[in-house]
Amino acid sequence: MFSLEPSDDVQSVRDWVHEFAADVVRPAAAEWDEREETPWPIIQEAAKIGLYSTDLFAQQAAEPSGLGLLVVFEELFWGDAGIALSILGTGLAAAALAGSGTPEQVGQWLPLMFGSATDPKLGAFCSSEPDAGSDVGAIRTRAHYDTATKEWVLNGTKTWATNGGIADVHVIIASVDPGLGSRGQATFVVAKDTPGLSQGQKFKKHGIRASHTAEVVLDNVRIPENQVLGGREKLEHRIARIKSGESVRSQAAMQTFERTRPTVGAMAVGVARAAYEYALEYACQREQFGRPIGEFQAVAFKLADMKTRIDAARLLVWRAGWMARNNVAFQSAEGSMAKLVASETAVAVTDDAIQILGGNGYTRDYPVERMHRDAKIFTIFEGTSEIQRLVISRTLTGLPIR
């Protein structure tokens, strides 16, 4: 029987995460937004109850409907986007590890990304560069193999890295054969204290300010040969096949983004929902001309559009999550569709929320101002809206849209 109702297990997890978001995350949101620091006390609280753990990610990723992780992300971002990204930012590095690593590599490095209930750790996925954001084929970070020492040597600078420089494990995209463009890239894992790895500039951002974003500098970073994900032998075999003219799936960074786009969509839905709910309550209580402003058609219709867009975005996110979990191919770039619609919905809904609150919405005394700042990032990171439209249109037409 067809049903859009989440299973009892999914609903139970959703309620549990929502309670944490309401009781722990939301009350601290304004403080950590102002501080622009990683909210370690809240990460520690999440770790204590098992919300920040490899077990939770593994269990929810394996949930048959594909909705497990999506409801976790939506509820936490409903609480606050900056704090939620600090809690869940490690997930992107974990996805890259799980997608490209051998079982042995996943078993070794995944626990080091999350740590324990009493000592949580962080992971960072490092793909973007100063001159290579959406254009992952322009990555200039290089990795060459030193046959004398049997080590990889990495050099370059990564930027816009969530948890960059402070993470215990950095997952880094680098070019091993620049002549092949994006097809000559590989993914490496580097521990925090490895000589030559350092934090560069820490960015002061418009939104998600409780999440640490920084450059990661790689200066002759030497790592053992087994720290290339998938193994050196597999990498060399793939490079040889490409050079012989075989068609080989490429772009390590884009493979990671494909797997995570539905979860980014869920983040955006969470922020949009939070802003809508606040605006709805405000419209029912705030009076002008002797009546609640929600009685005025201009406000009521705006609320109707907000709710409709949120529910439509969620359905696209859920479809993409179900397809990804059940190995149904994205024939029409459904992952990009979900991310595109959800991210632009978050921007539009938070903007409408400010409009409904009027001058109050423009002040930091009301949370929709922060939600509006947070929402914008979803149209930028892990592929801009323009890139999503490019991916979708190329998939539909089969033409090299430029």
Side-chain angles (χ1 to χ4, degrees):
M1 181 180 71
F2 174 78
S3 175
L4 287 173
E5 185 73 15
S7 68
D8 290 344
D9 287 343
V10 170
Q11 292 186 56
S12 178
V13 169
R14 179 180 62 192
D15 294 344
W16 171 58
V17 177
H18 181 83
E19 182 179 4
F20 180 83
D23 295 345
V24 179
V25 174
R26 274 206 169 175
E31 174 190 351
W32 290 99
D33 177 71
E34 290 290 341
R35 291 176 64 167
E36 297 190 59
E37 297 174 357
T38 300
W40 278 108
I42 300 178
I43 295 174
Q44 290 165 349
E45 286 298 314
K48 286 179 185 177
I49 66 169
L51 180 54
Y52 185 78
S53 69
T54 56
D55 288 342
L56 176 73
F57 272 77
Q59 291 167 3
Q60 297 313 309
E63 199 280 322
S65 71
L67 303 185
L69 280 180
L70 299 182
V71 301
V72 170
F73 277 68
E74 179 178 334
E75 295 305 325
L76 271 182
F77 277 76
W78 171 89
D80 177 67
I83 292 175
L85 193 56
S86 283
I87 295 173
L88 297 174
T90 295
L92 185 57
L97 173 65
S100 301
T102 64
E104 293 76 18
Q105 288 172 326
V106 173
Q108 175 185 357
W109 291 97
L110 193 61
L112 298 179
M113 289 184 182
F114 287 90
S116 66
T118 57
D119 185 23
K121 306 294 184 181
L122 297 174
F125 180 64
C126 306
S127 173
S128 294
E129 297 184 1
D131 296 316
S134 297
D135 183 10
V136 296
I139 284 176
R140 294 183 179 180
T141 295
R142 299 289 184 255
H144 75 267
Y145 185 69
D146 186 335
T147 55
T149 62
K150 294 185 177 181
E151 295 174 315
W152 291 98
V153 184
L154 278 65
N155 283 281
T157 299
K158 294 296 182 178
T159 193
W160 311 119
T162 298
N163 299 331
I166 65 171
D168 297 272
V169 178
H170 291 75
V171 179
I172 296 169
I173 305 295
S175 176
V176 296
D177 194 324
L180 297 178
S182 62
R183 296 182 301 166
Q185 294 171 0
T187 309
F188 300 84
V189 283
V190 183
K192 180 180 180 181
D193 295 328
T194 303
L197 184 147
S198 63
Q199 178 185 309
Q201 176 186 2
K202 177 186 175 183
F203 296 102
K204 297 178 72 67
K205 304 187 299 296
H206 176 65
I208 54 168
R209 303 200 309 184
S211 172
H212 176 97
T213 308
E215 292 179 331
V216 176
V217 179
L218 306 158
D219 183 11
N220 286 322
V221 172
R222 289 182 169 269
I223 56 175
E225 65 177 349
N226 63 0
Q227 286 180 215
V228 58
L229 294 187
R232 186 167 71 90
E233 183 176 337
K234 181 178 179 181
L235 171 63
E236 291 178 344
H237 179 63
R238 179 169 66 85
I239 296 295
R241 289 172 59 198
I242 293 171
K243 289 183 175 180
S244 69
E246 290 188 45
S247 176
V248 176
R249 185 183 173 98
S250 61
Q251 290 197 353
M254 295 311 295
Q255 290 183 42
T256 297
F257 293 149
E258 286 176 14
R259 288 188 293 272
T260 59
R261 277 175 182 151
T263 59
V264 175
M267 298 176 191
V269 169
V271 174
R273 192 183 108 218
Y276 158 74
E277 290 177 359
Y278 195 93
L280 175 64
E281 182 178 2
Y282 185 92
C284 292
Q285 296 178 353
R286 172 72 166 175
E287 291 191 359
Q288 289 286 290
F289 307 103
R291 66 185 65 183
I293 63 173
E295 290 188 15
F296 295 107
Q297 190 178 95
V299 173
F301 280 16
K302 196 177 291 290
L303 290 166
D305 287 342
M306 292 161 74
K307 174 62 172 171
T308 300
R309 291 189 67 167
I310 291 167
D311 283 7
R314 184 185 294 108
L315 286 173
L316 282 173
V317 168
W318 282 14
R319 179 183 69 168
W322 176 84
M323 293 176 71
R325 174 63 184 86
N326 291 280
N327 297 314
V328 178
F330 287 169
Q331 296 291 347
S332 301
E334 287 84 355
S336 290
M337 287 184 183
K339 199 266 189 185
L340 171 64
V341 172
S343 62
E344 297 201 341
T345 293
V347 172
V349 168
T350 55
D351 187 75
D352 284 344
I354 288 180
Q355 198 69 24
I356 289 172
L357 269 68
N360 286 335
Y362 199 66
T363 71
R364 294 193 180 182
D365 295 330
Y366 290 81
V368 294
E369 180 272 340
R370 183 181 69 253
M371 295 170 185
H372 185 259
R373 287 187 286 108
D374 291 341
K376 185 58 186 173
I377 191 60
F378 299 114
T379 67
I380 298 173
F381 74 175
E382 295 198 42
T384 64
S385 289
E386 291 74 21
I387 289 296
Q388 305 311 320
R389 288 185 169 91
L390 183 65
V391 171
I392 296 166
S393 60
R394 281 178 174 174
T395 303
L396 297 177
T397 66
L399 299 173
I401 308 292
R402 291 178 175 85

